[in-house]
Amino acid sequence: MPDTPQARLVVNGTPRSFAGDPRRTLLDFLRLDLGLTGTKKGCDHGQCGACTVIVNGRRINACLSLVAMHDGDDVTTIEGLGSPEALSALQRAFVTHDGFQCGYCTPGQICSATAMLDELRAGWPSVVTEGLSGPSDPSDDELRERMSGNLCRCGAYSNIIAAIREVLQTEPREASA
Amino acid sequence: MREFTYSRAASLDQALGTHARPIAGATNLVDLMKLEVETPDALIDITRLDLSRIERAGDGVRIGALVPNADCAADPLIRRHWPVLSSAILAGASPQLRNKATTGGNLCQRTRCGYFTDLSTCCNKRTPGSGCDALKGVNHNHAILGTSDACIATYPGDMAVALAALDACVQIQGPDGMRQVPLREFHRLPGTAEAPDNVLQPGEIITAVTLPAPPPGRQIYRKVRERSSYAFALVSIAAVIKVESGLISHARLAFGGLAHKPWHDPAVEAALIGQPPGQAVFQRAADILLKDARGFGGNNFKIPLTRRTLAAVLIEATRD
Ligand SMILES: Cc1cc2nc3c(=O)[nH]c(=O)nc-3n(C[C@H](O)[C@H](O)[C@H](O)COP(=O)(O)OP(=O)(O)OC[C@H]3O[C@@H](n4cnc5c(N)ncnc54)[C@H](O)[C@@H]3O)c2cc1C
Ligand code: SF4
Ligand code: FES
Ligand code: FES
C-alpha cells in the first residue's frame, strides 16, 4: 500500500509541500490549501481555461492535474506574475485596454497569454500558421487561435487581443517578466 | 471522485504487470474520474519514466509515449517530414491541454459520447448490458461506419488519425516483453460494447509510437467542427497524396469522427492510385468509403459532409 502521497513544489517562488488525499487537484491545492484564490475554477473539466497556471514555463489547466503529480515543479499563478504595485506588462495592458468585464476569466487569460508569448518567441506553430513555421508577425486570427483555450463569458475578446498585441509590439522581451 | 491510492513509478518495471491504472497527462483520466465514469482504485504515475524523447530511428522516428502533444507538434523533424502529424495535433484541444497531453494518453482517450459521461443514462460501454441511449438519442457526433447495435460511439482524437495515415506502429511493453501493434489495429470496433476501446491489456504500458520513413507527396489534415477551435471533429481527414505525371501515384487516407477508431479503408486508396485527379475519381473514392455508411438520425449529415470534405481535401492535395 503506497504511503500518503507527498509533493514538494515551488509556488510563486515559495517552497510548498503537499501531503494528503491524492484526489486533490492542483487547482484546489492552490485555492483551498494555499489561499491563492487568483486562479479561478470555471468548468473544472478543462473546457474554459479559467484555472490556467504556468508550470515549469508551460501553461496548463490546473483543474485537470493532481497536485501529487507536481513533486519538484515550479508553479506560477497570477499572484506570481505581478502585484498591484508592480503589474506585469500584460496585467497593465489588460487594465489599459479594458480586457475584461466581470474579471473572472482574467487571471487565466493573463497566465495563458504570458506563456503564449513565450511560445511565439520559441517559434511554435499553430493550426493557422501557414506552413507550420512560427509566425514573425502574428495576425489577430493567429492570436485568437493561440488564446482559444481561454473562454470569456463576457465576450471581452477584442480588448483581450488588443492588450496582448500592445505587449507583443512594445515589450517583446519583457512580456513574461 | 472515488478514493484511490497513488504511487509514482521510478522505473518502467514498476509500472508493468500491476493492476494500477497508469496516469500521464491526466487530462482525460482525471476528467472522467471527477465524473465517476472512471473509478480506478489505484493510480500509477508514469510521468517520471524516461519516455519523453523524439529520436530518429533509421529513416523514421520514434516518439516517446510521454512526449507532450505540444512538443511533438513543434518538433522540427516532425514539422518538416510528417507535417500532417503536427497539423492534426494542433487542430485538437487547446494549447494548455496540449502542453499536458501525452502521446500514449492521447491514443487511449475515451469517447466523447454524452451518454458515456452521464451516469443517469444507459450506456453499454460504461455499464455493459445496460443498453445504448445514443441509438435513439442525441447522436449528432456519433459514428456512421463500423457501428454495432451495442455502441455507435466515435474515437474522438485527432493525432491518431494522422498516425493512421502515416503507417505508424505502437510499441507496447508488458511484463513478458515488448510487442508492436500497427496503429490501424490498435483501436477496436465496438462489436459487443463490453469490449475495450483498444488492444492494450491491463498491466501494459505504451512506450512509444514509431513512424516509418517520410512518405512521398503532400500531407494535409482537415478538421470540420462546430466552432473553429477547441472542439472535437465532426469529420476529419488526414491525407498523404502524391501526383506524378498527371496521375495519383501514392495515397494514404485516414478519417476521424466517423468510427470507433481512426478509419482506414485500403479500397479508397486503391480507387485513387493510378488515376488522374478529378471529380469523377474523387466521387468514386467517396462512394467506396461510404458504401456501408449508416446514420442514426442526428448524424445523418455526416455522410454528405464526409463526401464533400473528402473532395475538398483531394482537390487541395492534388493541386499543382
Ligand atoms: C476540453 C477538452 C477538449 C479536447 N479536445 C480534443 C480534440 O479536439 N482533439 C483531441 O484529439 N483530443 C482532445 N482532447 C483530449 C486530449 O487530447 C486528451 O485528454 C489527452 O490527449 C489525453 O492524454 P493524457 O496524457 O492527458 O492522458 P491521461 O488522462 O493521463 O490518460 C488517458 C488514458 O490513457 C492511459 N494511458 C496514458 N498513458 C499511457 C501509457 N503510456 N500506456 C498505457 N496507458 C496510458 C491512462 O491509463 C488513461 O486510461 C480534449 C480534452 C479536453 C479536456
Ligand atoms: S454510443 Fe457507446 S458510449 Fe455512447 S451511449 Fe451508446 S454504448 Fe455508450
Ligand atoms: S476550470 Fe479548468 S479549464 Fe475550466
Ligand atoms: S471578463 Fe467576465 S468572463 Fe471574461
Side-chain angles (χ1 to χ4, degrees):
Chain A
M1 192 69 159
D3 301 329
T4 306
Q6 309 262 341
R8 281 175 217 287
L9 57 166
V10 174
V11 180
N12 299 330
T14 307
R16 303 285 196 168
S17 59
F18 165 79
D21 191 324
R23 288 177 290 185
R24 203 57 146 181
T25 60
L26 177 61
L27 176 59
D28 287 345
F29 173 72
L30 293 169
R31 290 181 55 86
L32 304 176
D33 297 340
L34 303 187
L36 292 170
T37 54
T39 309
K40 301 296 185 238
K41 183 183 285 191
C43 64
D44 215 19
H45 285 283
Q47 297 173 358
C48 74
C51 65
T52 304
V53 298
I54 302 170
V55 176
N56 304 333
R58 299 286 186 90
R59 49 177 163 160
I60 68 159
N61 304 103
C63 68
L64 288 188
S65 204
L66 301 172
V67 63
M69 298 180 74
H70 287 282
D71 187 47
D73 284 352
D74 189 83
V75 181
T76 304
T77 68
I78 188 73
E79 291 92 341
L81 287 179
S83 63
E85 302 74 44
L87 296 174
S88 78
L90 272 163
Q91 286 172 322
R92 204 174 324 111
F94 267 67
V95 174
T96 311
H97 290 273
D98 264 336
F100 46 81
Q101 287 180 37
C102 76
Y104 198 79
C105 70
T106 314
Q109 299 278 1
I110 293 179
C111 283
S112 187
T114 302
M116 184 274 287
L117 291 177
D118 287 340
E119 292 167 9
L120 266 178
R121 274 180 225 117
W124 282 19
S126 88
V127 78
V128 304
T129 323
E130 228 11 85
L132 293 175
S133 56
S136 49
D137 183 16
S139 64
D140 282 357
D141 276 351
E142 182 77 54
L143 294 177
R144 278 192 203 103
E145 165 60 26
R146 286 170 191 266
M147 289 299 292
S148 61
N150 293 84
L151 306 190
C152 174
R153 189 68 181 78
C154 299
Y157 294 112
S158 51
N159 294 359
I160 291 170
I161 294 297
I164 294 172
R165 184 162 289 293
E166 182 190 300
V167 174
L168 188 64
Q169 281 158 358
T170 57
E171 301 185 71
R173 303 247 157 258
E174 286 166 34
S176 59
Chain B
M1 218 188 290
R2 301 277 183 84
E3 281 189 303
F4 56 87
T5 60
Y6 167 90
S7 59
R8 235 171 254 146
S11 68
L12 186 55
D13 275 351
Q14 284 179 10
L16 301 176
T18 146
H19 87 291
R21 270 294 273 288
I23 185 159
T27 60
N28 191 232
L29 192 49
V30 169
D31 194 1
L32 293 172
M33 284 167 64
K34 286 183 181 183
L35 297 166
E36 299 193 353
V37 172
E38 294 270 24
T39 53
D41 62 8
L43 289 185
I44 184 146
D45 176 353
I46 61 170
T47 56
R48 309 299 154 125
L49 303 182
D50 179 22
L51 300 173
S52 317
R53 273 174 289 144
I54 297 180
E55 4 177 61
R56 276 194 178 277
D59 295 334
V61 69
R62 181 176 188 278
I63 304 164
L66 292 173
V67 172
N69 282 178
D71 295 56
C72 186
D75 186 82
L77 199 64
I78 303 291
R79 268 197 259 179
R80 187 176 157 87
H81 295 297
W82 296 278
V84 67
L85 178 55
S86 289
S87 301
I89 291 173
L90 293 169
S94 71
Q96 289 95 318
L97 289 161
R98 295 194 297 265
N99 274 335
K100 283 219 74 218
T102 63
T103 314
N106 192 309
L107 288 180
C108 299
Q109 66 177 291
R110 313 226 43 201
T111 185
R112 306 304 280 202
C113 169
Y115 299 101
F116 175 64
T117 48
D118 179 349
L119 300 187
S120 68
T121 65
C122 296
C123 168
N124 285 322
K125 187 184 276 298
R126 179 169 33 75
T127 313
S130 65
C132 170
D133 277 353
L135 281 170
K136 293 197 167 72
V138 179
N139 53 31
H140 73 285
N141 67 8
H142 286 67
I144 56 170
L145 290 169
T147 53
S148 78
D149 293 341
C151 179
I152 59 170
T154 58
Y155 169 76
D158 292 291
M159 181 190 82
V161 179
L163 293 176
L166 291 171
D167 299 296
C169 246
V170 186
Q171 289 189 348
I172 300 172
Q173 190 80 38
D176 304 322
M178 205 264 271
R179 63 187 180 116
Q180 303 230 40
V181 178
L183 186 112
R184 293 176 194 151
E185 293 163 24
F186 179 77
H187 298 96
R188 302 177 62 270
L189 287 179
T192 58
E194 298 87 77
D197 294 350
N198 56 52
V199 301
L200 202 66
Q201 299 291 323
E204 287 185 324
I205 295 280
I206 299 170
T207 51
V209 166
T210 57
L211 298 180
R218 197 172 287 169
Q219 301 184 19
I220 294 173
Y221 190 73
R222 176 78 64 96
K223 178 174 179 179
V224 183
R225 42 187 164 174
E226 282 167 339
R227 57 182 184 194
S228 59
S229 194
Y230 207 4
F232 285 92
L234 294 169
V235 175
S236 73
I237 303 181
V240 182
I241 306 276
K242 185 163 172 65
V243 180
E244 276 174 301
S245 320
L247 300 177
I248 297 172
S249 61
H250 176 90
R252 282 284 182 281
L253 289 163
F255 301 83
L258 302 187
H260 196 260
K261 59 187 290 187
W263 192 258
H264 173 258
D265 182 346
V268 175
E269 295 164 354
L272 293 169
I273 291 169
Q275 302 298 319
Q279 273 303 333
V281 171
F282 299 164
Q283 292 306 328
R284 190 144 40 83
D287 289 342
I288 293 170
L289 172 71
L290 296 165
K291 181 165 43 78
D292 298 321
R294 172 178 170 208
F296 294 85
N299 66 350
N300 292 353
F301 73 93
K302 282 194 179 184
I303 297 173
L305 180 62
T306 303
R307 176 177 290 281
R308 288 199 299 270
T309 309
L310 178 59
V313 165
L314 290 173
I315 289 169
E316 189 184 336
T318 56
R319 208 171 21 219
D320 292 337

